[in-house]
Amino acid sequence: MNKNNTILIVEDEMIIAANISLQLTHLGYEVTGIIPRAEDVLTHICQHVPDIILMDINLKGDLDGIELVHLIQKEYKIPIIYLTANSDEANFNRAKATNPYAFVSKPFKKLDLQRAIELTLVRIQEEQNSEKTLDITSEEPFILSDCIFIRSHDKMVKVCINNILYIEAERNYCKIHCKDKEHLLVMTLKDIEEKLTSNTLLRIHRSFIVNLSHIDEIATSHVVIAKKAIPLSAELKKKLLQHIQKV
């Protein structure tokens, strides 16, 4: 696997951060930056989007690492590896809701960090390979009240609304995440939203439409569906709560 992958270190203990950076450089990775303050992270990412973020959970300041990840995930899909010296159950559950790729407990050995990164890169590659095998169609689907008919090769495949977990915008495509399969459509999320007549599918973020019947948790800035933390726009949260009461 190509090791010319970029990694951002978010760590407020500079001795630890410098040591991590040195280790990563020796392993052949490129460190895009070492940032101790949560407030500076989004600005950095805007200029240099890394392949992986090493995120200290216990950042000093107004935001801890988990809260910062929620903000990052509103704009970017970057794999997160948490660094933590505090492994209590409450923090673990908060962090788990952001769907991280790994946890590394401090103090850690060089091998622990190396393996966490390598496993994350393997998972990234598997996800990219999986996307290549998804059903892709350039023909507009038939969107009905209880199902969506999607062109797959020489036939139309029925996707029941009840089986849809959420729909995610992917650049010029939309990915429909179902319980047992995924479908990739050459269609914008806005176009899908305009054609939907189902009361159970609702847009809660510029990049996500969710199935209200599959929501497991509603937090301040995200919802959880099938262990996936999905960002929730502040302006759409009231609309979500109103629809939940009707479903």
Side-chain angles (χ1 to χ4, degrees):
M1 182 175 293
N2 180 14
K3 283 199 175 177
N4 293 323
N5 296 92
T6 58
I7 301 176
L8 171 63
I9 301 170
V10 183
E11 168 65 67
D12 56 13
E13 297 185 43
M14 295 308 294
I15 294 177
I16 293 176
N19 182 45
I20 293 173
S21 179
L22 186 62
Q23 292 182 27
L24 295 180
T25 300
H26 285 166
L27 291 171
Y29 301 110
E30 178 187 344
V31 176
T32 66
I34 298 174
I35 303 182
R37 288 166 40 87
E39 294 78 7
D40 299 329
V41 172
L42 286 173
T43 301
H44 177 88
I45 293 176
C46 183
Q47 298 172 347
H48 308 282
V49 180
D51 296 313
I52 298 172
I53 298 177
L54 297 181
M55 177 67 69
D56 179 24
I57 287 181
N58 303 306
L59 292 175
K60 299 181 183 70
D62 295 333
L63 296 175
D64 67 10
I66 300 170
E67 293 168 325
L68 174 57
V69 168
H70 281 302
L71 293 178
I72 293 171
Q73 290 178 337
K74 289 181 178 180
E75 303 291 337
Y76 304 94
K77 292 185 65 176
I78 305 173
I80 303 294
I81 297 176
Y82 280 118
L83 308 174
T84 178
N86 185 356
S87 56
D88 65 85
E89 192 71 16
N91 272 327
F92 176 75
N93 287 332
R94 286 178 59 228
K96 186 171 66 173
T98 64
N99 197 29
Y101 282 56
F103 285 85
V104 179
S105 296
K106 295 190 291 186
F108 52 82
K109 299 177 182 178
K110 178 180 179 180
L111 187 59
D112 295 335
L113 183 62
Q114 180 180 350
R115 286 175 173 171
I117 292 173
E118 289 181 355
L119 288 172
T120 296
L121 291 174
V122 168
R123 182 173 160 188
I124 292 171
Q125 187 63 54
E126 289 175 346
E127 290 173 350
Q128 290 174 347
N129 291 340
S130 176
E131 288 183 1
K132 292 178 182 178
T133 62
L134 293 173
D135 290 333
I136 301 179
T137 176
S138 59
E139 184 170 330
E140 204 167 280
F142 299 148
I143 300 179
L144 306 178
S145 60
D146 62 344
C147 66
I148 301 175
F149 281 92
I150 299 172
R151 170 69 66 179
S152 178
H153 304 296
D154 59 345
K155 59 186 177 182
M156 298 295 286
V157 176
K158 180 180 180 181
V159 179
C160 292
I161 297 296
N162 289 339
N163 287 331
I164 296 175
L165 299 175
Y166 57 94
I167 304 173
E168 179 180 7
E170 289 275 352
R171 299 183 180 87
N172 296 325
Y173 301 91
C174 274
K175 186 186 294 183
I176 299 179
H177 296 260
C178 297
K179 295 178 180 178
D180 54 357
K181 194 173 182 180
E182 294 177 348
H183 304 273
L184 201 60
L185 302 178
V186 184
M187 190 175 187
T188 67
L189 197 67
K190 180 180 179 181
D191 288 340
I192 291 179
E193 181 185 22
E194 289 176 351
K195 295 178 183 298
L196 285 174
T197 58
S198 171
N199 291 327
T200 60
L201 292 178
L202 181 70
R203 189 167 189 166
I204 65 166
H205 184 268
R206 67 180 183 180
S207 300
F208 289 93
I209 291 174
V210 302
N211 190 327
L212 302 181
S213 62
H214 291 301
I215 293 177
D216 299 313
E217 299 176 22
I218 301 177
T220 302
S221 60
H222 70 280
V223 303
V224 177
I225 296 179
K227 299 182 179 179
K228 164 73 174 179
I230 299 172
L232 171 61
S233 297
E235 63 269 21
L236 295 177
K237 185 174 182 180
K238 182 177 180 181
K239 185 178 179 181
L240 168 65
L241 296 175
Q242 290 173 341
H243 276 72
I244 285 285
Q245 294 173 354
K246 298 177 182 178
V247 174

